[in-house]
């Protein structure tokens, strides 16, 4: 029987108000003004469900709960679903790639 992968990476657009948070700014010294600010995560759930949980304060990241606007599936859906190790690694790689492109990135 073939193994069914169910892990996902996801990207949440954050309000630009997150730029007023000192920890966020410090983590993004090469942020290019005008580029999106995002949160990159991984989950064993559907990304839509995980986003809703963030916004409801259930195992949420503070920046997603306070500043999360919407999912940006065009940045991640081509990778999903994948095995756990693949999602764990892709979360880091995706965050690095977006940061190198000038995005403001938070990754837990």
């Amino acid at each position: 029987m073939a193994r069914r992968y169910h892990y996902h990476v996801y990207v949440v657009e954050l309000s630009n108000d997150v730029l007023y948070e000192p920890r966020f700014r410090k983590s993004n010294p090469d942020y290019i003004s005008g580029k999106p600010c995002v949160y990159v995560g991984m989950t064993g759930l559907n990304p839509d469900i995980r986003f809703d949980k963030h916004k409801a304060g259930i195992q949420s990241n503070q920046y997603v709960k306070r500043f999360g606007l919407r999912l940006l599936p065009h940045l991640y859906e081509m990778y999903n679903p994948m095995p756990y190790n693949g999602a764990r690694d892709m979360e880091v790689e995706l965050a690095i790639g977006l940061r190198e492109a000038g995005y403001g990135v938070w990754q837990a």
Side-chain angles (χ1 to χ4, degrees):
M1 180 178 228
R3 192 173 227 178
R4 196 172 87 95
Y5 300 129
H6 70 275
Y7 289 92
H8 304 267
V9 292
Y10 61 100
V11 179
V12 176
E13 181 180 6
L14 303 174
S15 162
N16 284 341
D17 290 343
V18 75
L19 293 168
Y20 295 108
E21 298 293 318
R23 286 181 64 211
F24 190 89
R25 287 294 295 191
K26 186 176 181 181
S27 295
N28 292 283
D30 298 324
Y31 170 71
I32 297 172
S33 184
K35 289 278 192 168
C37 294
V38 298
Y39 171 84
V40 178
M42 69 159 281
T43 183
L45 303 172
N46 176 293
D48 291 316
I49 293 170
R50 184 65 187 109
F51 177 69
D52 291 344
K53 287 187 172 214
H54 275 294
K55 294 304 285 181
I58 301 168
Q59 296 176 327
S60 64
N61 174 271
Q62 66 171 331
Y63 294 138
V64 179
K65 183 178 179 187
R66 291 175 53 208
F67 303 108
L69 300 175
R70 67 189 65 80
L71 290 168
L72 298 175
H74 68 279
L75 294 176
Y76 64 83
E77 64 187 359
M78 72 286 279
Y79 305 116
N80 296 328
M82 64 184 86
Y84 175 82
N85 289 337
R88 185 192 63 215
D89 295 343
M90 181 55 68
E91 175 188 2
V92 173
E93 291 175 29
L94 186 55
I96 290 169
L98 292 172
R99 193 172 273 126
E100 287 175 350
Y103 284 63
V105 179
W106 191 262
Q107 179 207 3

